[in-house]
Amino acid sequence: MIQMEDAGEQEVGAPEKGCGNWSNQEIAQHPVITQPGLGETTMTVTTIMQTGGDWNTSLFNVCGDVPTCLMGAFVPCCLDLSLAHQYGECLCLPLLPGSTLAMRVGMRERFKIRGSVCEDWVTVYCCYPLAVCQMIREMKRRLKCQMYTVSTALQSS
């Protein structure tokens, strides 16, 4: 079924240019620049973070990180601000009552550290500077993570 028109020839019911079957003349006018791939390429990024167990350092390990312990001894409130920043919280958080206890409980839950809320309360309210120093040391060690990037290509069959 071919109809002749003044503007040119076109098959009735044939797809328009770029919509499907092309003639040999049209293919010659549109060379292939790139070859289609075998499939989609996906990229996966995996982060491995240490979790579980006890605190990495004891409460009284003051020589483990001397600059942190000096800050904890002389300006523990500044160290608490640094802890809130490293933990991903607002810098105003340490101004709220009970915020250090909340961060300690949250840190213990996030990293799956053994302990209880009662132990956290006694540690924070009886040994505040030592508790903040221990939490900073823990954040430094636990947040050292290993990242792996894997690229995969799906093959079509």
Side-chain angles (χ1 to χ4, degrees):
M1 301 173 74
I2 299 177
Q3 281 184 342
M4 299 295 259
E5 296 179 5
D6 292 335
E9 298 179 11
Q10 183 179 12
E11 287 186 18
V12 174
E16 295 179 5
K17 263 191 176 178
C19 295
N21 299 329
W22 288 1
S23 69
N24 288 338
Q25 185 180 16
E26 291 173 332
I27 291 174
Q29 292 174 356
H30 300 285
V32 176
I33 297 171
T34 60
Q35 293 292 324
L38 292 175
E40 285 185 26
T41 300
T42 59
M43 185 172 292
T44 306
V45 177
T46 304
T47 304
I48 299 175
M49 187 180 346
Q50 177 190 357
T51 59
D54 293 321
W55 293 90
N56 282 317
T57 60
S58 73
L59 189 63
F60 300 104
N61 187 11
V62 292
C63 295
D65 187 0
V66 176
T68 299
C69 289
L70 288 174
M71 277 191 74
F74 295 110
V75 281
C77 55
C78 291
L79 198 59
D80 211 0
L81 288 171
S82 174
L83 178 65
H85 177 69
Q86 287 182 21
Y87 193 68
E89 291 292 335
C90 175
L91 292 179
C92 298
L93 181 70
L95 301 175
L96 300 173
S99 62
T100 305
L101 173 64
M103 280 192 292
R104 186 173 179 92
V105 171
M107 185 181 297
R108 200 172 40 75
E109 291 294 319
R110 179 186 289 180
F111 298 128
K112 310 276 190 275
I113 300 171
R114 287 187 213 111
S116 67
V117 176
C118 290
E119 291 172 358
D120 293 334
W121 186 89
V122 169
T123 302
V124 169
Y125 288 104
C126 294
C127 308
Y128 171 74
L130 295 174
V132 174
C133 288
Q134 182 187 35
M135 292 164 65
I136 288 282
R137 287 190 307 265
E138 196 70 26
M139 288 294 284
K140 285 180 182 178
R141 290 189 179 165
R142 298 272 179 159
L143 291 182
K144 286 183 182 175
C145 59
Q146 299 173 350
M147 295 185 74
Y148 299 96
T149 304
V150 178
S151 295
T152 57
L154 304 174
Q155 296 183 357
S156 61
S157 51

